[in-house]
Each structure stands twice: as structure tokens, then as C-alpha cells.
Amino acid sequence: MTAASALPQLPKAPTGIDGLDEITNGGLPKGRPTLICGSAGCGKTLMSVEFLVRGILEHDEPGVLMAFEETADELSSNVTSLGIDLKQLVADKKLRLDHVHVDRSEIEETGEYDLEGLFIRLGYAIDSIGAKRVVLDTIESLFSGFTNQAILRSEIRRLFRWLKDKGVTTIITAERGEGQLTRQGLEEYVSDCVILLDNRVINQITTRRLRIVKYRGSTHGTNEYPYLITEDGISVLPVTSLKLEHNVSNDIVSTGVPELDEMFTRGGLYRGSSVLITGTAGTAKTTLAAFFAAAACRRGERCLFFAFEESPQQLIRNMLSVGLDLQPFVEQGLLYIEASRPTLNGLEQHLVTIHKLIGQHRPQAVVIDPISNLVSVGSITEVRGMLTRLIDYLKVQGITALFTALVNGRNANQEMTEEGVSSLVDTWLHVRDLEGIGERNRGVSILKARGMSHSNQVREFLVTDAGIRLLDVIIGPSGIVTGASRHTQFLQEQSVALAAQQEIERRERELERKRRVLEATIANLRTEFESVEEELRFTNREEERQHQELSQARRQIAAGHGARSANNSAAAPTNS
């Protein structure tokens, strides 16, 4: 354990305001005064009231609101539109509303003047309900009638010290001064935490910014943070406070186009990843996004579709032309289409709308079509910052996100977007025009896919009545061929294949003829052999017969000669 972590940390009071606790690392300094300063209309009073109300509802810390400009009834009416019932909290003895009327004409400044009466009144309100939180709104009304700066500054210091000694977490609001944070130029020095609110107009669009000027005893975010006032209160949008510590999934989800899934070695996209589709106008980016949304709905997942160019009815009608019916998914509550022009609100309002709808619908997939239109309501830097926060937020929530972006003609070759978010996404698809002789076709390629290998081919695809169909790659003499050239190449290859087949068949027929000739020759030779064989056997039999007849004749001759010799011996006389 480090020495810093072993030391006691500054106790903090959570504000409950979206995003503010995140950039203050836990909330406002507990038991110490915080100054909220800003010009008219920036939401100082609203932020203070929300701090009190959320402390009561979420942390059971009663509060006191001492107002110097608005009565209790006026305050209650003003915050009713935000769903806050101050009168009920007062009735429950959780909140004290005290309006202090300061009439400058009735005040005579003397050297003996002090705030002792205010301390007594405020102390009674705190003790009566055991308040832990206090708001003073606004301090200028209390001091604006006095010109003696020495007395004024002394009483401000005494007020802040009294609040610290009382141990209550206090918010004091103050108006912005000329060249300084407050009119008196002292409150920011004696406060432990100073929050500056700013309300500016950029390109005719109101933008509010919050900055923590100082925070004694604690680290905090130092950037300017956009914030919004909505019907749910104040939302602060941190720019860089999100850490890259989200969980990842190994599950694979479909792009909605089976042939496109096959271009990824794992057969689709990682769940919870971010996907960017870039391309020039008319390259079917919205159609691809709609098929992605439909695939999520078919899996039983909810999908939010933010359309900046088409109304929901127009999007549903247009997708019917490609064989995709989104209406059943809308009726089942699986698909929610939010359509608006980017210029309707500022970037922060769009981001808050997205956050709000995600919180309401809890989707597993989100589509934003296109992000390039956001450039019309902010600078490139602002859009990039907004999209960075959005991509990080969606990843933390485990939502699979798909963005489309338009690239203009001069950047089409570089395949880069004006927003510069291509490095932030996990998967980048690029759709392009493949120009041939007298025609334009569409092609898709995968520029990157983090965590998996993928095809490096540019696949031509068709948008048909039955959906999107990717065509097989055909290589011609000069490379990949598309469109009519593809058909010509196909006919040529078919002709070559037919000629080759005919040649094979001709050779087989020739072989068959040769076989038949050879078999006939063999039959003739066999017949000739049989004739020779038969003649030879006949000759052999004749020779054998003649030989037998000759042998028999010889035996007969031999037998006849022996008989004649015997007869001759018997007939010869005997000599005495």
C-alpha cells in the first residue's frame, strides 16, 4: 500500500448529478463551501436545487435553501417542470425554504454592520431539520447594496468560516464578474471548490460548458465539460474521464448479410464492438445498416436506430424495396427508430438523447446513420470528442454499435472520414463505386477488423429485390472485373470452357474409333490365327496318320519276310 492511499481521503458529498460526481471524483467537499458562478441563464440555481433534492432522496440528507431573489412559491413553481416537488419535501420536513428579502433602500451602511442576523436565521433553519446541505442563492443580492469593500470582504470571509464551522456541505451561487469569476473577486479564493458555468452561442446553437476551477484537497477533471438542462435535470458529459477498462465478449453476431459474414474468418462481428461503414453517396450504407439492425432483431435483441436523414416511415418504406420489412420489429418493440435533423439540437443534446433512449430501451445494438451530418452542428474537434465519448459509452455498456459516414469525392481514395473516428472503431468497412465502361457498380472491402483475420478482396455486391447479394470475385486480364465486364468475362470463360469440353468430347470419340478399329483388327488376326491353327492341326493329323500307316506297313512287311524264311528252311534236304 502506498503512503498516499494510507492517508485519510477528503470526505465528499455526492451530488447525484449525472457526470458531475465522475469529474469531481465523488462529489463536492463534505462540510465545506462550494462556489458555483456563472452568467445569467447558465443553471446555477437549478444545479443547487438538484444538489439538495438528490441529497434528500438518495442519501437522506435534509437541506436548507436560502434564496435572496426568488420566493419559496416561485422556486417551487420553477422546478416543477423538472419533476421536483419542493413543497412535498418541505411538508416531509426534509427541506427548508427561506426567502430573505434585502431592500437596499432600507439598509443604512454603518461601521457596525454585520451578518449576525443572517447567521442566526440560517442556524435555526439548519438545526430545525438537522440539515446536512445548504444552498445560498445568490450572494450578490446580499452584498450588492454596500460600497464599503473592507466590510464586505470581511463579512464574506466570516460567512464562509461560519459555514465550515457548522459542518454543512454548502453551495453558494454568484454572478460572473468582469475579468474575474465573481463580482467581488473574493468568493473564489475563500471557497474550497469553485465550479464555473458558461452559456455561449456557437453557430446559432446554445452550448453550455462546466469547468472546475479549483478543488482543494482532491484531484478532479480540469477540462471544459458540456452539460445540458433537460426535463430530468442537469447532465454533465465527461470528455476524457472514461477509462478503457470495459469487458469484452468473444461472441459473434451477424452483419445481416451472410456473404459479408463469410469475409470474416469467425463469421461475423464481435458482440459489443464498434463498426464503421464509410463510402460516398449512393453506396448502400443505410441499407447495410438496416440489415444489421434487422439481424439483431431476429436474434430477439433490441436495437436503436438513429436516423439523421430519413423519417421512420421513409426508412421502413425504402427498405421494403430491397426485401426488408422493418415494421414487424417496430411493432414488437425490438426496433426503435429515432429520427431528427442534426441541426435540431447541439451535439451534447444529441448525446444526451442517445444516453436517455439507451437507458429507456436497454438495447443490445445501436445504429447511427450517418455521423457525418453532425459536422453541421459543431466543429470537427467537437464532433470527434462527442463521438469518442459515445463510442466509449457504448463499449462500456456492451452494446454492438454501427456507424455510417459519408466521405466526399476528394477523400474517397484515402477512404478517410472528416470526423477522424476510424481509428477508434474496431471494424471498418468501406463501400465504394466500381466504375466500369459506361456503368457504376458497388464494392465492399474490410479495411480493418481488430481481433480477427479477414478477406482482403474487394467484393462486388448487388442491391436486389431480395436483399444484398455479394458476388464471387472474377479476375480478368487487368484485374477484378465487375458489372458488364463481369458478364463479358463470364461469357468468355463459358466459351473457353465449352470449347475445352468439345475438345475433350472429340478426343473421346477419336479414342472410341481407334478402339473399335483396334478391336476389329484384333478380331481379324484372331480369325486368321484360328485358320492357320486349324490348318496346322489338320496337317499334323495327316502326317500322324501317314506315319501310322507307314509304321503299320513296315510291320506288315517285316511279318511277311519272317514267314517266307521259315518255309524255306523246312523245304531244304538233309545230307547224310
Side-chain angles (χ1 to χ4, degrees):
M1 181 180 294
T2 63
S5 60
L7 294 175
Q9 301 298 310
L10 178 70
K12 297 187 177 183
T15 65
I17 298 175
D18 290 340
L20 184 57
D21 290 338
E22 188 173 358
I23 61 178
T24 55
N25 291 334
L28 303 181
K30 191 170 186 178
R32 300 187 182 188
T34 294
L35 176 68
I36 297 180
C37 52
S39 57
C42 61
K44 301 184 297 295
T45 300
L46 178 60
M47 181 173 288
S48 304
V49 171
E50 189 169 352
F51 167 74
L52 285 180
V53 172
R54 295 196 180 276
I56 294 171
L57 300 179
E58 299 176 7
H59 304 284
D60 194 25
E61 294 186 356
V64 172
L65 174 57
M66 182 168 285
F68 302 103
E69 293 182 344
E70 297 176 280
T71 65
D73 291 337
E74 290 172 343
L75 279 170
S76 299
S77 300
N78 292 343
V79 299
T80 300
S81 61
L82 302 178
I84 299 175
D85 189 355
L86 294 184
K87 292 184 179 180
Q88 184 60 46
L89 295 177
V90 172
D92 296 338
K93 299 186 182 303
K94 296 292 185 180
L95 176 67
R96 282 292 300 268
L97 294 179
D98 195 357
H99 174 242
V100 177
H101 175 66
V102 179
D103 192 342
R104 300 176 185 177
S105 62
E106 298 175 358
I107 297 177
E108 180 180 358
E109 184 179 352
T110 66
E112 301 298 326
Y113 171 78
D114 58 33
L115 296 178
E116 195 62 36
L118 176 67
F119 296 159
I120 295 174
R121 187 167 178 173
L122 183 57
Y124 172 77
I126 294 172
D127 295 337
S128 64
I129 61 173
K132 302 296 182 181
R133 302 187 179 198
V134 173
V135 169
L136 301 180
D137 181 47
T138 65
I139 198 171
E140 277 77 19
S141 299
L142 190 62
F143 297 113
S144 59
F146 304 95
T147 58
N148 191 325
Q149 294 295 316
I151 295 178
L152 188 150
R153 296 171 75 89
S154 175
E155 290 303 300
I156 289 178
R157 289 192 181 94
R158 196 160 73 96
L159 172 62
F160 278 70
R161 173 50 57 188
W162 184 87
L163 291 169
K164 279 188 177 182
D165 294 341
K166 199 67 177 176
V168 290
T169 306
T170 308
I171 287 182
I172 300 172
T173 66
E175 296 178 3
R176 186 76 179 268
E178 293 292 337
Q180 52 192 9
L181 296 179
T182 61
R183 290 186 179 181
Q184 308 304 328
L186 176 66
E187 299 94 314
E188 58 263 37
Y189 294 102
V190 296
S191 299
D192 288 73
C193 179
V194 178
I195 299 176
L196 175 63
L197 305 182
D198 185 26
N199 188 14
R200 66 189 72 165
V201 178
I202 302 175
N203 295 329
Q204 301 180 353
I205 297 176
T206 301
T207 304
R208 292 183 171 94
R209 295 285 189 271
L210 177 148
R211 180 167 65 93
I212 301 176
V213 179
K214 78 171 185 179
Y215 198 137
R216 288 174 179 163
S218 173
T219 58
H220 57 87
T222 57
N223 297 324
E224 274 195 330
Y225 302 95
Y227 69 96
L228 291 169
I229 300 176
T230 67
E231 62 272 14
D232 297 322
I234 291 180
S235 297
V236 183
L237 309 176
V239 177
T240 59
S241 58
L242 290 173
K243 298 180 180 179
L244 298 177
E245 297 176 349
H246 56 275
N247 295 324
V248 296
S249 173
N250 288 322
D251 295 340
I252 299 297
V253 297
S254 173
T255 62
V257 181
E259 294 91 347
L260 184 57
D261 291 339
E262 294 173 359
M263 296 181 68
F264 298 92
T265 55
R266 296 203 58 184
L269 310 168
Y270 282 119
R271 183 184 298 277
S273 63
S274 54
V275 185
L276 175 66
I277 300 178
T278 59
T280 55
T283 50
K285 298 184 297 297
T286 301
T287 303
L288 287 169
F291 273 88
F292 168 80
C297 295
R298 292 191 188 99
R299 295 191 298 269
E301 301 175 358
R302 289 182 295 275
C303 178
L304 281 178
F305 197 113
F306 295 92
F308 292 141
E309 293 181 336
E310 298 175 281
S311 67
Q313 294 76 15
Q314 183 180 3
L315 180 64
I316 293 173
R317 182 204 65 187
N318 292 349
M319 291 304 106
L320 286 173
S321 65
V322 295
L324 182 61
D325 189 1
L326 299 177
Q327 186 63 39
F329 302 133
V330 175
E331 295 173 352
Q332 296 169 17
L334 295 174
L335 177 63
Y336 181 83
I337 303 175
E338 173 71 13
S340 64
R341 288 294 182 187
T343 52
L344 177 65
N345 300 302
L347 291 174
E348 291 76 22
Q349 183 62 55
H350 285 296
L351 186 56
V352 166
T353 300
I354 294 173
H355 281 223
K356 179 180 178 181
L357 291 176
I358 289 175
Q360 291 177 353
H361 297 276
R362 299 295 178 184
Q364 287 79 37
V366 168
V367 175
I368 299 181
D369 175 50
I371 60 174
S372 47
N373 281 23
L374 296 174
V375 177
S376 61
V377 292
S379 65
I380 298 297
T381 302
E382 292 172 336
V383 173
R384 187 180 297 116
M386 178 261 193
L387 292 175
T388 300
R389 299 195 299 273
L390 177 58
I391 292 173
D392 288 342
Y393 173 74
L394 294 174
K395 284 188 175 182
V396 169
Q397 299 297 321
I399 298 173
T400 309
L402 186 143
F403 309 92
T404 69
L406 177 70
V407 293
N408 55 39
R410 67 177 183 275
N411 284 338
N413 292 332
Q414 287 106 3
E415 300 166 336
M416 297 296 291
T417 63
E418 292 183 353
E419 301 79 25
V421 297
S422 54
S423 61
L424 300 176
V425 297
D426 301 305
T427 303
W428 184 6
L429 304 178
H430 185 66
V431 287
R432 65 188 71 182
D433 286 322
L434 303 176
E435 296 189 10
I437 301 176
E439 63 179 9
R440 302 181 70 177
N441 303 291
R442 297 184 179 98
V444 60
S445 60
I446 303 174
L447 298 185
K448 78 171 183 178
R450 288 173 177 162
M452 70 173 71
S453 57
H454 54 86
S455 171
N456 63 350
Q457 294 178 326
V458 179
R459 295 281 298 275
E460 182 184 3
F461 68 94
L462 301 176
V463 181
T464 68
D465 295 341
I468 294 178
R469 183 168 63 91
L470 270 66
L471 304 178
D472 294 332
V473 174
I474 294 182
I475 307 297
S478 59
I480 296 177
V481 294
T482 61
S485 299
R486 168 190 287 272
H487 184 63
T488 302
Q489 180 72 17
F490 175 75
L491 292 178
Q492 291 176 352
E493 292 180 354
Q494 193 176 38
S495 176
V496 171
L498 180 60
Q501 182 64 30
Q502 292 175 346
E503 177 64 19
I504 292 173
E505 293 176 354
R506 187 192 65 80
R507 291 176 179 176
E508 289 179 349
R509 291 193 299 270
E510 181 68 20
L511 181 62
E512 179 65 20
R513 287 194 296 270
K514 290 183 177 181
R515 185 182 64 79
R516 290 197 298 267
V517 171
L518 181 59
E519 289 178 351
T521 302
I522 292 173
N524 293 334
L525 291 175
R526 183 177 290 110
T527 302
E528 183 179 354
F529 174 76
E530 291 175 352
S531 300
V532 173
E533 183 181 28
E534 184 178 359
E535 183 179 357
L536 181 59
R537 288 177 179 174
F538 176 77
T539 303
N540 290 338
R541 286 195 299 271
E542 288 295 321
E543 289 180 353
E544 185 176 359
R545 184 180 58 80
Q546 292 176 4
H547 178 70
Q548 291 176 353
E549 290 178 351
L550 181 59
S551 297
Q552 185 177 5
R554 287 179 179 173
R555 286 194 296 270
Q556 291 176 354
I557 293 174
H561 178 73
R564 285 194 300 270
S565 296
N567 291 333
N568 292 333
S569 297
T574 307
N575 294 322
S576 53

